[in-house]
């Protein structure tokens, strides 16, 4: 699925070269161990209420959460609408849609390393409204709305979006690929860049772009049940798509594309692809979800779990730490002035669960949690 686990496996393979071995019992053996120290909650704020984006850090060692950590470490705000983030090596990349920027920060300290202005890197038209990120082979890929435009009177769209390939060492632009209408989530697998083109929920131009990274040639995957795709991940011979549906006769769900066949695995409005698992919930129109569950793509087994809470008025993130296996759900709180509905201008929260779905703790976070990424890395320990 997403490259997170694969990249960690590669790290482990390389790290074994530094392992000390000796036939003498008195010589300790030093082995690399994958660890996870915490979680970064990327909060988009609320542009209508002039609330800037923020980063909340959940520290596993202290079981506590600290808000506004980017501002605290850098003396400035992220700006409006931080939408996604990825960790790659020692760096974290945060895409800020409202500012047309990608913030590159130290993944441990959150100190700024570089701010990339996508409208300067890609051009004023192509770099507009960066949305989502993917990492592969020393390259960070970012989708942008670009020239995509909508007309609500005719319920149509025009123009198209793009994907920039950016070198993670020099931050230079390596290539720009043409995507479809209003591209969102993306993934790279086997030299192919997959992009979920949402068409801004209009439904007529929704597709999955399969772009050959070498030639730039694109194959568009379309189907009657791919109407508003917002994320995509690839595993083996399957392409997995989160599609928000058309709010009418096509329900939101996770679709599986295999050759020319597209099927719906299950109904869902939010999910994350971690290893061989899909962590998901179904929360139509932001209502209290009917269920949270984990679906294993290898076995086809779907396990639901009770949240132990009745406050999920509009969950926005469902994911899991790839090292600890703990599950995290980020949500808005209830609007006290309008009971039964979410409050999009006040702080949200994150609920932490064991692998078995047992509620462990809840943490306050900033306004509008949009993504959760994990503070993972390698440590070297003496093997007893």
């Amino acid at each position: 699925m997403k490259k997170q686990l694969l990249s960690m496996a590669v790290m482990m393979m390389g790290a074994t070269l530094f392992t000390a071995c000796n036939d003498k019992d008195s010589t300790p053996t030093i082995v690399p161990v994958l660890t996870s120290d915490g979680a970064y909650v990327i909060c988009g704020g609320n542009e209508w209420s002039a609330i800037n984006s923020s980063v909340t850090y959940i520290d596993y060692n202290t079981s506590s959460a600290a808000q506004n950590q980017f501002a605290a470490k850098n003396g400035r705000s992220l700006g409006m609408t931080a939408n996604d983030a990825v960790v790659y090596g020692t760096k974290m990349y945060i895409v800020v849609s409202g500012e047309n920027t990608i913030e590159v920060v130290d993944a441990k300290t959150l100190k700024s390393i570089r701010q990339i202005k996508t409208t300067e890197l890609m051009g004023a038209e192509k770099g507009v409204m960066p949305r989502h990120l993917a990492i592969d082979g020393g390259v960070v890929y970012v989708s942008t709305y670009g020239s995509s435009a909508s007309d609500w009177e005719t319920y149509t769209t025009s123009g198209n979006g793009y994907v920039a390939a950016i070198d993670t060492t020099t931050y230079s632009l390596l290539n720009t690929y043409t995507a479809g209408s209003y591209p969102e989530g993306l993934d790279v697998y086997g030299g192919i860049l997959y992009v979920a083109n949402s068409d801004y929920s209009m439904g007529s131009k929704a597709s999955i772009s399969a772009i050959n990274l070498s030639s730039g040639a694109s194959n568009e995957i379309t189907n009657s049940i791919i109407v508003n795709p917002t994320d995509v991940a690839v595993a083996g011979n399957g392409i997995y798509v989160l599609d928000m549906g058309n709010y009418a006769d096509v329900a939101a769900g996770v679709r599986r594309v295999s050759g020319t066949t597209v099927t719906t695995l299950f109904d869902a409005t939010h999910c994350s692809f971690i290893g061989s698992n899909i962590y998901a919930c179904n929360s139509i129109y932001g209502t209290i979800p009917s269920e949270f569950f984990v679906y294993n793509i290898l076995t086809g087994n779907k396990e639901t779990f009770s949240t132990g809470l009745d406050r999920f008025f509009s969950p926005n993130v469902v994911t899991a730490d790839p090292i600890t296996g703990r599950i995290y759900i980020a949500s808005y709180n209830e609007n006290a002035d309008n009971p039964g509905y979410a409050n999009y201008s006040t702080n949200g929260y994150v609920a932490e669960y064991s692998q078995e779905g047992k509620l462990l703790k809840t943490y306050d976070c900033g306004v509008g949690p949009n993504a959760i990424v994990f503070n993972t890395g390698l440590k070297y320990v003496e093997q007893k």
Side-chain angles (χ1 to χ4, degrees):
M1 307 294 278
K2 295 295 187 184
K3 293 292 185 179
Q4 191 170 24
L5 293 185
L6 177 59
S7 64
M8 290 180 179
V10 172
M11 288 169 61
M12 288 292 287
M13 290 170 62
T16 58
L17 297 176
F18 300 96
T19 301
C21 299
N22 196 294
D23 292 333
K24 295 181 179 180
D25 293 338
S26 59
T27 303
T29 299
I30 306 301
V31 297
V33 176
L34 287 170
T35 62
S36 185
D37 295 326
Y40 292 108
V41 186
I42 310 302
C43 304
N46 186 312
E47 189 168 354
W48 292 104
S49 300
I51 300 172
N52 281 322
S53 304
S54 64
V55 177
T56 296
Y57 183 63
I58 298 173
D59 189 320
Y60 293 169
N61 294 321
T62 61
S63 294
S64 62
Q67 297 183 32
N68 299 309
Q69 288 302 288
F70 179 87
K73 299 297 174 61
N74 296 288
R76 61 181 174 88
S77 168
L78 279 168
M80 291 292 176
T81 320
N83 199 59
D84 194 15
V86 293
V87 171
Y88 185 66
T90 61
K91 302 171 187 175
M92 178 163 63
Y93 300 79
I94 307 171
V95 63
V96 188
S97 299
E99 307 297 331
N100 299 324
T101 56
I102 301 170
E103 294 283 353
V104 186
V105 301
D106 186 287
K108 297 296 182 184
T109 67
L110 275 184
K111 289 289 292 182
S112 177
I113 298 172
R114 178 74 65 93
Q115 184 187 77
I116 302 171
K117 193 78 172 177
T118 53
T119 47
E120 295 177 1
L121 185 73
M122 303 171 64
E125 178 187 280
K126 294 180 180 180
V128 172
M129 194 66 73
R131 297 294 294 168
H132 288 278
L133 299 160
I135 293 282
D136 185 74
V139 179
V140 57
Y141 297 88
V142 56
S143 60
T144 70
Y145 280 170
S147 61
S148 300
S150 59
D151 186 333
W152 287 101
E153 289 187 3
T154 61
Y155 209 67
T156 60
T157 57
S158 60
N160 56 266
Y162 301 90
V163 175
I166 304 170
D167 187 281
T168 57
T169 301
T170 64
Y171 311 111
S172 60
L173 180 66
L174 300 175
N175 212 333
T176 301
Y177 301 94
T178 300
S181 175
Y182 288 98
E184 296 286 358
L186 61 166
D187 197 13
V188 179
Y189 187 87
I192 304 297
L193 170 66
Y194 296 88
V195 189
N197 302 307
S198 70
D199 198 36
Y200 217 52
S201 78
M202 299 297 185
S204 62
K205 298 178 184 176
S207 68
I208 304 298
S209 292
I211 304 170
N212 186 299
L213 290 173
S214 298
S215 68
S218 180
N219 174 43
E220 299 301 309
I221 301 169
T222 60
N223 189 273
S224 60
I225 59 173
I226 296 179
V227 295
N228 186 7
T230 57
D231 202 3
V232 60
V234 184
N237 61 354
I239 303 168
Y240 297 84
V241 179
L242 175 64
D243 193 293
M244 296 303 291
N246 61 7
Y247 311 101
D249 60 318
V250 180
V254 172
R255 331 283 191 211
R256 184 178 189 274
V257 181
S258 181
T260 59
T261 302
V262 181
T263 56
T264 297
L265 294 180
F266 47 80
D267 291 347
T269 53
H270 298 83
C271 77
S272 292
F273 306 100
I274 308 293
S276 60
N277 287 328
I278 303 175
Y279 297 83
C281 76
N282 193 30
S283 176
I284 302 171
Y285 303 117
T287 57
I288 298 174
S290 57
E291 61 179 3
F292 290 87
F293 52 90
V294 183
Y295 179 90
N296 187 286
I297 65 169
L298 300 179
T299 64
N301 186 45
K302 176 183 172 184
E303 294 187 7
T304 62
F305 64 94
S306 172
T307 64
L309 296 169
D310 60 359
R311 58 190 285 201
F312 284 106
F313 292 97
S314 187
N316 208 35
V317 183
V318 184
T319 190
D321 188 317
I323 305 302
T324 68
R326 290 187 176 183
I327 302 167
Y328 294 83
I329 302 172
S331 177
Y332 293 93
N333 275 298
E334 185 179 17
N335 191 330
D337 297 326
N338 195 7
Y341 293 89
N343 192 326
Y344 297 103
S345 298
T346 59
N347 285 346
Y349 71 97
V350 177
E352 178 184 50
Y353 296 85
S354 68
Q355 294 184 57
E356 297 74 29
K358 179 184 177 182
L359 177 64
L360 301 175
K361 192 176 179 63
T362 61
Y363 307 89
D364 289 333
C365 68
V367 176
N370 280 333
I372 298 176
V373 290
F374 298 97
N375 186 3
T376 57
L378 281 173
K379 289 183 179 179
Y380 295 87
V381 299
E382 180 179 331
Q383 189 176 51
K384 301 297 184 180

